[in-house]
Amino acid sequence: MQPETAAQHDPTLAHHFESHRQQHEASLVGMWAFLAQEVMFFGGMFLAYTVYRHLHPEAFVVGSLTLDPVYGTINTAVLIVSSLTMALAVRSAQLGRGKQAALWIGGTALAAGIFLVIKGVEYSHKYHDGLIPNFAWHPSETSAPSLEIFYSFYFVLTGTHALHMIVGVALMAVVAIRALRGRYGPSNYIGVEVLGLYWHFVDLVWIFLFPLFYLLGRHLG
Amino acid sequence: MQQDLSFFPEAASRGAHQVDALTWWLVGMGTFFATLVALLVIVLSIYFRRSKGKMPVPIEGSIPLEVMWTVIPLIVVLFTYTWGAKVFVDVRTQRTEGMRFFVTGKQWMWKLQHPTGHREINRLHVPKGQTILLELTSEDVIHDFFVPAFRVKTDVVPGMYTTLWFEPTKVGNYHLFCAEYCGTKHSAMIGTVTVMEPADYQVWLSGQPAGLRPVEAGALLFENLRCDTCHAAGAGQRGPALEGRFGGAAQLEGGRTVDFDAEYVRSSILEPNAEVAEGFDRLMPSYRGQVTEEQISHLIAYIASLAPANEGETVDADDSPGTGATEGSER
Amino acid sequence: MNEHNPALRHDPELAHVLPLRTYLGVFALLLVLTGVTTGIAYIDLGVLNTPIALSIASVKALSVILVFMHVKFSGKLVWLFVIGGFAWLLILFSFSLSDYYTRSVISGWGG
Amino acid sequence: MTTVDQPAPARVREDNYLTAGYGWKSWFLTVDHKRIGILYLLSLTGFFFVGGLFAVLLRLELLTPEGDLFQSETYNKLFTMHGIFMIFFFLVPSIPTTLGNFFLPLQLGARDLAFPKLNLLSWYIFLAGGAFTIYAMLSGGVDTGWTFYTPYSSTYANSHVIAAALGIFVTGFSSILTGVNFIATIHKMRAPGLTWFRLPLFVWSLYATSLIMVLGTPVLATSILLVFIERAFGIGIFDPARGGDPILFQHLFWFYSHPAVYIMILPGMGVVSEVVSCFSRKRIFGYRIVAISSLAIALLGFLVWGHHMFVSGQSIYAGMAFSLLSMLIALPSAVKVFAWSATLYKGSVSFETPMLYALGFIGLFTIGGLTGIFVATLGFDVHVHDTYFIIAHFHFIMVGGMVMAFLGGLHFYWPKMFGRRYPEGIAKVCSVVVFVGFNLTFLPQFLLGYLGMPRRYHAYPEEFQVLNVLSTAGASILGVGFLIPMLYLLWSLKFGAKSYGNAWNAKGMEWELAATPPIAHNFTEVPTWTDEAHDYSKLTPTTEETPSHAT
Ligand code: HEA
Ligand code: HEA
Ligand code: CUA
Ligand SMILES: [Cu+2]
């Protein structure tokens, strides 16, 4: 796209890169390294989940029965929609359609918002049911004794996940504005691509959280 | 206690000599390689020091040399590993025959109980030549039971039982340290292990106010806590029969089976609904907060001592204090 | 990855644009699998419940990674990082769990 | 291609990166990796002396068996803060963020790191983490030990665990972002012609380090976050009374913290490779194998963490697996040690300060590493675990190894960084003082440990006193040995002899192609580089006879 000489003055090419290709590939490598980091970050928590489930199988089954699978399933669908819109945003950016990309990003943010609202509703139900460890903990008589551990992990994992979503929405605002300003094109869409990678990763985490928390004891309930 | 300056700790148990032998091997091996590297560096750097007109000779490398200094260390470390693992397995695998002591760590003291029911704090008297078995747990944070003269140590973990054994070979007083950082007075969580001739140990015992033996204490507790209202001998009770169960398996609701061991009994007392016995309701209340770790250990000892119902209880059988420490629980 | 091949400094189009169809196909697959995994969860499959749920989740994850995240169309380096990330996760899990599944039980007790 | 075979002409550059801008903004908002490196250097030095001060206080308390100087509570805070500052705020970032930041792009022929702004952000994150930790220190301190073992840290301690945990959590992200930055840079910013096996060994070691930072640090973040959450929100995670498992914390913690010890040694090994090669005028013996051994150490390093938990209640089978794998780390380490030694063979060895530190490193690292093998030996570790033997083991590697390598690297690169020479004579004397003081401090601790003196003890039985006094005496010498270099290095910034060329006649892009001090964007045009790494074979007698002090 850009003629070689113009590269020096191209505002979309940082001064220390030689070419858009170099910039693109460096950012991509950087992002994947960062995602490997994210895998390990959540991995530690999933390990803790696994160990405690091994130590307190009953509590985890009972716990999953106290979660509402309707919310979980709807939210899964919402996140999948948001992943699709995000993938389409990247596609639009690849094709140089800035406005369209911004629109898709907006759609993704909307889906993220819906997800978070549903999550919030769910949390407030847990509050009313007395299922928030330490703050509002008065579960019904029959529950398993280590239920608290289950809920600790439920809140830690879904909470961290939700935080990642909020960060994602903030990043979306930045990228959407840039897209509107026409910063992205076929040889320079890495900003949107990186955002997309992040967002799909957030989706990936949920893909595992959903069965591990909501579904594991369903067949007994 | 050792007072004078020495650079090698006293070895007062059978295992200690085993560890020391390993140490000498390590020291020898280490000295060899450290000296080798030091000599290489010093001799080569001085011999090939810079001087006018002398040019360095480029050398790319040498596969035979690389192989040599990979394979020789490999052999050395594999040998070291095997030896170390052998000692470790021996030290860390609990013996089954011996005198059983129960140890509770608590910020910042050691509570020790003899098989005879005698109790001590921060002081442990043991007879020479006997295998001493310790079962340890903590009431708060992680501690670590460490007797340098015996070269043994194990962490003492809340919510979990760990074990230790040693066979003292030398009469004397030895340091007992807490070796896992446990808070403000970690360095004051120390004590003394006194090894005595068996006869002296008997004399010492008889001079001490004897408590109930753990099994007896457990039997009492079993009554006082009203465990027997649900777990009286025989079938058809509200709770499952406990006679002859220890060391076997427990059938749980939902088809799982678990080992009927100390950890299981402990969690049944503290969290009865976590693992519910097949065919019973969730009737049993939790005793968390009502029993100390030591009392739990007594209850376990009692339950472990219960022979299958038709053979009757064994509480009163066999009590030559001090030595008859193996009752009940063999698989 | 000869990133410094001078010929490439002309910034050719870096994008590998996938047809809409592909994205929509993966989207549909994800929704269907979500339905399936939720449905199956209500059936008692004994010990298989969790493995099946996790396998379905893995298929979903794989399709997101390969298509939405473009890994299928990316260079070796990206593959390396993806595989590396999960390999390290495997290290964390397998070594930690090897402890939990082999802890010995105390054989005797008493006093 | 057009590479330079002889030292670059002594270009006198006044338009270097130091003169490229003045005023606080030009420093605190800079995205120049070289300036950021210096910002890190300043902050790290501060943290080192704070940590060192705590060490001095520790050693003073241990002069006498009674706990008479401090309350036990204070002592516990001292060693905790000593460990936290030294590990998380000094040694982990030490070489990577200073010399690494400064020289990685120069060695690659790049104008900057791949993400310059991220680099600056890392430094601010680092400072933010430091601020939390300093807050924890000033408001009363933390007393959990640097290992934060649960349930003590999560439930029982009543010191400022929350702030310290937050500090470490935050700093972890600085480390991760640095790792990400380095990885992307090494993969994608190499000058044309600079293939993987032409990379200087320092770059290889930084690459291996970065992998550990990226793959390990997040798990530390998880474990610390869980402690933080448990304390801040009072929910049960590691509390056994609520069904938690304290040993799980140890797995998570050591999954990071063992690999982290290689974050704390690999960059030092990289520096030593550069220095040994330069001062014996030879390419490192078996360059490729040495390069790959860094990666091998990084990989193996992730498989051994359970060796910190042999007596923790971990299963003995897991212990045996971890022990065996720990043993294997001796092999890539042996490759390095013997390669450095063999490099001296038929070399032209000179003994400037950096070389003295490097040679000291080889010896002390070997002792530290061998005792690492001792403690990885199961039966032996049962006895010495959590005693002073461990303290001696890791100070040998971390102080005798890494701190020495850091000092060596700093002296080596000082002329390049600032265009000034440090005073060689006093520097040599200091390096010997450090070596002597170091050995006197930590050799006695091996004996103390085997005799059974537990670590983290504020008072101890009398028979251990003699060795403790020796150790404290050594520490005073060591402290002086560390203090003086700081003074003369500062002094040299203004008064040192000017050095505008290639101070050591060293090989590599940073020495041969970049100006001294380097210009703002490193290279006026991107160089092409086809030389082999550390290629000293092209020296001619004339360049050789130039005394290396001439500038
Ligand atoms: C930079 C830091 C660093 C490094 C590089 C190492 C390197 C090693 N460490 Fe160390 N270690 C620490 C820092 C470090 N350690 C710290 C801080 C602790 C304590 C944490 C705490 O509890 O607070 C610790 C604790 C520690 C323990 C736990 C002890 C305990 O608490 O009971 C163990 C156990 O296996 C261990 C082993 C090793 C091994 C096998 C290596 C190996 O990598 C060493 C390999 C090197 C060599 C072997 C030398 C070179 C080789 C040769 C010269 C060839 C010949 C050799 C042979 C034939 C063997 N270390
Ligand atoms: C990078 C890591 C690093 C470094 C460089 C050091 C450096 C030193 N350490 Fe540290 N140490 C650790 C990491 C490190 N340590 C860790 C992780 C622990 C475990 C903590 C825990 O258990 O949680 C530990 C624990 C530890 C202990 C054990 C405490 C205990 O268990 O009770 C001791 C005791 O001697 C000690 C001593 C020293 C000494 C004397 C130095 C010396 O090298 C320091 C020399 C530096 C100076 C002296 C500062 C510079 C000079 C001045 C400030 C001028 C004023 C001073 C004088 C004139 C004397 N350290
Ligand atoms: Cu108890 Cu340390
Ligand atoms: Cu380690």
Side-chain angles (χ1 to χ4, degrees):
Chain A
M1 271 263 317
Q2 307 282 353
E4 200 179 358
T5 44
Q8 297 299 329
H9 315 286
D10 183 347
T12 64
L13 181 62
H15 77 274
H16 59 293
F17 288 117
E18 280 296 281
S19 64
H20 275 111
R21 166 167 287 252
Q22 192 187 28
Q23 171 167 306
H24 180 93
E25 291 185 345
S27 310
L28 203 61
V29 172
M31 190 58 197
W32 276 105
F34 184 79
L35 289 182
Q37 178 281 134
E38 288 281 6
V39 168
M40 296 311 290
F41 179 73
F42 278 99
M45 294 192 203
F46 277 110
L47 173 69
Y49 168 95
T50 312
V51 165
Y52 283 141
R53 189 171 151 187
H54 166 72
L55 296 177
H56 308 287
E58 287 76 12
F60 277 68
V61 169
V62 174
S64 83
L65 290 175
T66 60
L67 292 173
D68 191 337
V70 176
Y71 288 131
T73 314
I74 293 180
N75 255 350
T76 309
V78 170
L79 258 195
I80 291 175
V81 171
S82 80
S83 253
L84 175 71
T85 51
M86 183 50 94
L88 295 179
V90 176
R91 187 169 180 275
S92 304
Q94 288 178 331
L95 294 169
R97 302 173 189 157
K99 281 219 185 71
Q100 207 182 57
L103 222 62
W104 284 126
I105 294 177
T108 314
L110 185 70
I114 296 176
F115 180 100
L116 289 170
V117 168
I118 295 181
K119 201 83 233 160
V121 172
E122 241 189 309
Y123 280 2
S124 74
H125 280 305
K126 295 293 163 268
Y127 178 78
H128 290 299
D129 296 350
L131 288 174
I132 301 190
N134 196 35
F135 291 99
W137 186 252
H138 32 83
S140 59
E141 294 284 294
T142 52
S143 63
S146 298
L147 190 62
E148 207 181 338
I149 285 269
F150 173 84
Y151 267 100
S152 296
F153 276 94
Y154 169 75
F155 282 110
V156 169
L157 271 159
T158 57
T160 321
H161 178 255
L163 267 180
H164 273 77
M165 292 187 68
I166 293 171
V167 171
V169 172
L171 294 175
M172 280 178 210
V174 177
V175 175
I177 290 172
R178 289 192 180 178
L180 280 179
R181 293 202 180 140
R183 283 275 302 260
Y184 303 115
S187 65
N188 170 43
Y189 62 97
I190 187 67
V192 193
E193 171 85 21
V194 161
L195 175 70
L197 289 177
Y198 178 83
W199 194 253
H200 297 310
F201 174 79
V202 173
D203 188 18
L204 280 185
V205 173
W206 184 261
I207 286 179
F208 285 96
L209 286 181
F210 171 59
L212 289 179
F213 279 106
Y214 289 83
L215 300 181
L216 83 102
R218 269 312 131 206
H219 54 284
L220 303 173
Chain B
M1 236 161 275
Q2 318 112 294
Q3 288 297 348
D4 25 272
L5 175 66
S6 72
F7 294 116
F8 212 77
E10 201 155 345
S13 76
R14 181 164 298 198
H17 296 285
Q18 226 182 332
V19 174
D20 284 348
L22 177 61
T23 302
W24 285 120
W25 155 251
L26 288 171
V27 170
M29 182 272 285
T31 313
F32 173 78
F33 279 103
T35 317
L36 177 71
V37 171
L39 280 179
L40 279 176
V41 167
I42 294 171
V43 171
L44 290 179
S45 65
I46 291 180
Y47 188 80
F48 294 103
R49 70 190 172 281
R50 189 162 303 172
S51 53
K52 275 227 164 72
K54 213 168 93 190
M55 287 295 295
V57 182
I59 301 171
E60 260 314 296
S62 146
I63 297 297
L65 273 179
E66 300 278 0
V67 170
M68 187 188 84
W69 61 51
T70 322
V71 170
I72 293 178
L74 177 65
I75 295 169
V76 172
V77 294
L78 287 182
F79 175 76
T80 308
Y81 167 75
T82 315
W83 189 344
K86 208 173 139 276
V87 174
F88 181 72
V89 169
D90 193 42
V91 172
R92 297 288 293 174
T93 313
Q94 188 70 339
R95 296 286 155 107
T96 47
E97 305 274 317
M99 297 172 63
R100 286 171 195 281
F101 288 67
F102 186 75
V103 182
T104 321
K106 181 172 182 291
Q107 278 179 331
W108 291 275
M109 60 179 179
W110 294 108
K111 297 194 282 186
L112 305 114
Q113 189 173 27
H114 292 244
T116 50
H118 291 81
R119 286 154 200 239
E120 297 185 80
I121 288 188
N122 292 344
R123 190 83 204 254
L124 176 63
H125 290 80
V126 289
K128 194 181 104 174
Q130 292 277 333
T131 306
I132 310 293
L133 309 178
L134 305 183
E135 273 130 16
L136 313 96
T137 193
S138 163
E139 289 190 0
D140 36 48
V141 300
I142 303 178
H143 303 276
D144 187 295
F145 189 95
F146 175 33
V147 185
F150 302 155
R151 315 280 190 275
V152 290
K153 89 159 49 81
T154 184
D155 274 12
V156 178
V157 186
M160 179 175 173
Y161 292 115
T162 51
T163 59
L164 196 70
W165 73 270
F166 51 84
E167 190 192 317
T169 52
K170 213 160 148 187
V171 171
N173 290 320
Y174 306 103
H175 287 301
L176 159 62
F177 291 128
C178 174
E180 181 62 60
Y181 177 66
C182 55
T184 310
K185 297 216 179 94
H186 162 61
S187 59
M189 192 167 161
I190 55 178
T192 307
V193 178
T194 304
V195 178
M196 309 169 101
E197 292 294 347
D200 295 340
Y201 178 68
Q202 292 306 335
V203 173
W204 177 83
L205 272 185
S206 57
Q208 299 294 312
L212 288 174
R213 289 169 45 224
V215 180
E216 295 161 351
L220 254 176
L221 274 171
F222 203 74
E223 264 174 42
N224 293 344
L225 294 169
R226 301 253 169 280
C227 311
D228 56 344
T229 52
C230 303
H231 294 291
Q237 307 290 332
R238 278 191 284 178
L242 302 177
E243 288 79 12
R245 301 282 305 282
F246 197 88
Q251 191 71 36
L252 299 185
E253 190 182 273
R256 256 179 358 120
T257 46
V258 295
D259 290 329
F260 197 116
D261 58 9
E263 309 259 0
Y264 175 69
V265 176
R266 183 176 181 282
S267 75
S268 290
I269 296 171
L270 296 177
E271 273 188 14
N273 292 345
E275 292 169 317
V276 178
E278 173 78 56
F280 288 88
D281 294 330
R282 295 160 189 265
L283 281 178
M284 180 166 163
S286 164
Y287 287 83
R288 188 179 289 291
Q290 301 175 38
V291 286
T292 63
E293 286 294 346
E294 203 178 49
Q295 289 173 321
I296 296 175
S297 80
H298 294 159
L299 284 167
I300 296 172
Y302 172 69
I303 291 172
S305 76
L306 293 172
N310 49 0
E311 287 172 30
E313 293 187 9
T314 58
V315 184
D316 295 318
D318 166 43
D319 51 0
S320 51
T323 49
T326 50
E327 52 222 58
S329 53
E330 253 58 67
R331 293 224 170 141
Chain C
M1 271 152 276
N2 45 350
E3 66 270 27
H4 292 295
N5 184 340
L8 293 179
R9 289 199 192 161
H10 291 289
D11 288 346
E13 304 206 347
L14 294 164
H16 180 95
V17 186
L18 298 180
L20 260 180
R21 234 176 322 113
T22 315
Y23 287 120
L24 293 176
V26 170
F27 173 66
L29 177 73
L30 290 173
L31 283 185
V32 169
L33 286 179
T34 305
V36 170
T37 188
T38 312
I40 283 186
Y42 285 90
I43 306 167
D44 191 348
L45 300 167
V47 287
L48 285 180
N49 268 314
T50 303
I52 288 185
L54 285 182
S55 315
I56 295 179
S58 304
V59 174
K60 287 165 77 180
L62 210 62
S63 44
V64 170
I65 293 174
L66 290 180
V67 182
F68 282 2
M69 298 172 93
H70 304 148
V71 169
K72 186 155 185 261
F73 315 97
S74 305
K76 281 200 202 98
L77 194 56
V78 168
W79 279 90
L80 198 69
F81 274 90
V82 177
I83 294 171
F86 287 102
W88 251 249
L89 197 61
L90 192 69
I91 295 177
L92 174 64
F93 269 69
S94 52
F95 278 69
S96 302
L97 294 180
S98 79
D99 170 20
Y100 284 92
Y101 284 93
T102 58
R103 289 219 183 133
S104 53
V105 289
I106 299 174
S107 52
W109 196 274
Chain D
M1 273 170 121
T2 58
T3 40
V4 192
D5 289 341
Q6 62 274 70
R11 276 180 284 173
V12 179
R13 303 294 301 239
E14 289 305 338
D15 58 331
N16 58 48
Y17 77 103
L18 290 166
T19 55
Y22 297 94
W24 66 271
K25 263 192 181 169
S26 76
W27 282 94
F28 290 106
L29 296 178
T30 183
V31 289
D32 183 340
H33 64 101
K34 300 181 288 302
R35 287 190 166 209
I36 296 175
I38 289 173
L39 290 177
Y40 267 115
L41 184 59
L42 285 171
S43 9
L44 291 177
T45 311
F47 286 124
F48 174 70
F49 279 96
V50 174
L53 190 67
F54 287 130
V56 170
L57 298 178
L58 286 176
R59 285 311 330 163
L60 280 178
E61 168 64 69
L62 295 173
L63 262 178
T64 54
E66 308 82 33
D68 38 16
L69 186 56
F70 301 110
Q71 306 266 297
S72 52
E73 223 174 318
T74 314
Y75 180 86
N76 296 345
K77 288 173 179 167
L78 287 177
F79 69 69
T80 304
M81 302 309 294
H82 168 68
I84 290 179
F85 277 116
M86 284 300 198
I87 299 257
F88 296 113
F89 292 95
F90 172 64
L91 209 58
V92 165
S94 61
I95 291 183
T97 61
T98 57
L99 299 177
N101 234 328
F102 200 107
F103 287 100
L104 181 61
L106 287 166
Q107 291 193 322
L108 295 180
R111 293 203 193 93
D112 207 321
L113 289 175
F115 315 115
K117 285 183 199 138
L118 192 69
N119 195 17
L120 182 65
L121 180 67
S122 304
W123 181 65
Y124 277 107
I125 295 179
F126 176 70
L127 283 194
F132 281 118
T133 312
I134 289 174
Y135 166 77
M137 174 180 89
L138 294 180
S139 60
V142 202
D143 74 335
T144 58
W146 81 280
T147 48
F148 284 91
Y149 270 21
T150 54
Y152 184 71
S153 65
S154 53
T155 313
Y156 289 85
N158 34 33
S159 51
H160 293 77
V161 180
I162 292 185
L166 209 59
I168 290 169
F169 179 80
V170 169
T171 311
F173 284 98
S174 153
S175 199
I176 292 170
L177 294 180
T178 302
V180 165
N181 217 337
F182 282 10
I183 288 178
T185 307
I186 296 172
H187 271 289
K188 292 297 171 191
M189 309 283 286
R190 281 173 284 127
L194 187 62
T195 57
W196 280 92
F197 283 114
R198 284 179 187 150
L199 290 176
L201 287 168
F202 185 49
V203 175
W204 276 98
S205 76
L206 286 178
Y207 186 72
T209 308
S210 305
L211 286 180
I212 305 176
M213 285 174 161
V214 168
L215 292 166
T217 321
V219 180
L220 171 78
T222 312
S223 58
I224 293 286
L225 181 67
L226 290 177
V227 169
F228 169 81
I229 291 176
E230 176 157 6
R231 260 192 102 87
F233 302 116
I235 64 179
I237 291 180
F238 297 117
D239 182 2
R242 293 198 256 181
D245 176 22
I247 295 178
L248 175 64
F249 172 82
Q250 298 176 23
H251 278 298
L252 289 172
F253 181 83
W254 291 117
F255 180 86
Y256 164 75
S257 292
H258 181 79
V261 309
Y262 300 113
I263 297 179
M264 295 185 260
I265 198 70
L266 282 167
M269 294 169 155
V271 165
V272 168
S273 295
E274 299 280 338
V275 170
V276 167
S277 154
C278 172
F279 291 94
S280 43
R281 312 266 111 205
K282 274 184 65 200
R283 189 172 151 83
I284 290 288
F285 187 92
Y287 162 85
R288 278 182 187 231
I289 299 177
V290 173
I292 288 172
S293 71
S294 289
L295 294 183
I297 290 178
L299 169 67
L300 277 174
F302 274 98
L303 309 178
V304 306
W305 77 81
H307 67 204
H308 296 270
M309 301 164 59
F310 287 154
V311 298
S312 68
Q314 174 183 251
S315 109
I316 59 172
Y317 306 102
M320 285 162 73
F322 282 125
S323 167
L324 181 60
L325 287 159
S326 305
M327 296 285 170
L328 298 185
I329 301 206
L331 309 182
S333 311
V335 164
K336 282 184 188 286
V337 168
F338 290 121
W340 293 320
S341 317
T343 304
L344 303 170
Y345 176 71
K346 294 204 172 167
S348 166
V349 182
S350 67
F351 297 95
E352 274 80 17
T353 315
M355 186 62 162
L356 292 181
Y357 278 115
L359 296 179
F361 172 99
I362 300 175
L364 299 179
F365 168 73
T366 299
I367 298 180
L370 283 164
T371 52
I373 297 300
F374 286 26
V375 292
T377 307
L378 288 156
F380 183 81
D381 186 62
V382 172
H383 176 52
V384 298
H385 170 72
D386 268 348
T387 67
Y388 266 77
F389 197 93
I390 307 300
I391 302 283
H393 153 65
F394 69 72
H395 282 92
F396 258 81
I397 298 193
M398 301 207 296
V399 183
M402 187 65 163
V403 176
M404 286 240 188
F406 189 32
L407 282 173
L410 212 51
H411 284 87
F412 183 56
Y413 284 120
W414 196 259
K416 188 82 209 174
M417 291 167 79
F418 299 106
R420 296 274 184 177
R421 293 194 148 274
Y422 59 86
E424 188 67 52
I426 182 171
K428 280 187 187 173
V429 173
C430 269
S431 70
V432 176
V433 171
V434 168
F435 187 83
V436 171
F438 173 81
N439 281 298
L440 186 57
T441 312
F442 294 108
L443 277 177
Q445 295 187 0
F446 282 124
L447 295 172
L448 274 176
Y450 201 74
L451 282 169
M453 176 163 167
R455 60 191 284 201
R456 298 170 172 173
Y457 261 36
H458 146 259
Y460 54 84
E462 271 168 34
E463 68 259 28
F464 298 142
Q465 188 175 11
V466 176
L467 290 166
N468 269 302
V469 170
L470 285 178
S471 180
T472 301
S476 333
I477 301 177
L478 185 58
V480 173
F482 283 146
L483 198 58
I484 298 177
M486 189 184 71
L487 300 179
Y488 69 67
L489 284 178
L490 282 176
W491 173 89
S492 76
L493 287 182
K494 202 152 171 63
F495 305 105
K498 294 206 168 173
S499 165
Y500 281 119
N502 181 344
W504 313 109
N505 259 335
K507 287 283 168 182
M509 228 182 288
E510 77 275 30
W511 292 107
E512 294 175 81
L513 296 189
T516 304
I519 58 171
H521 292 300
N522 297 351
F523 303 99
T524 33
E525 58 189 83
V526 169
T528 300
W529 186 264
T530 51
D531 274 11
E532 296 306 317
H534 314 289
D535 190 0
Y536 287 91
S537 63
K538 291 180 186 155
L539 288 172
T540 58
T542 34
T543 57
E544 190 49 33
E545 275 166 28
T546 327
S548 56
H549 299 283
T551 48

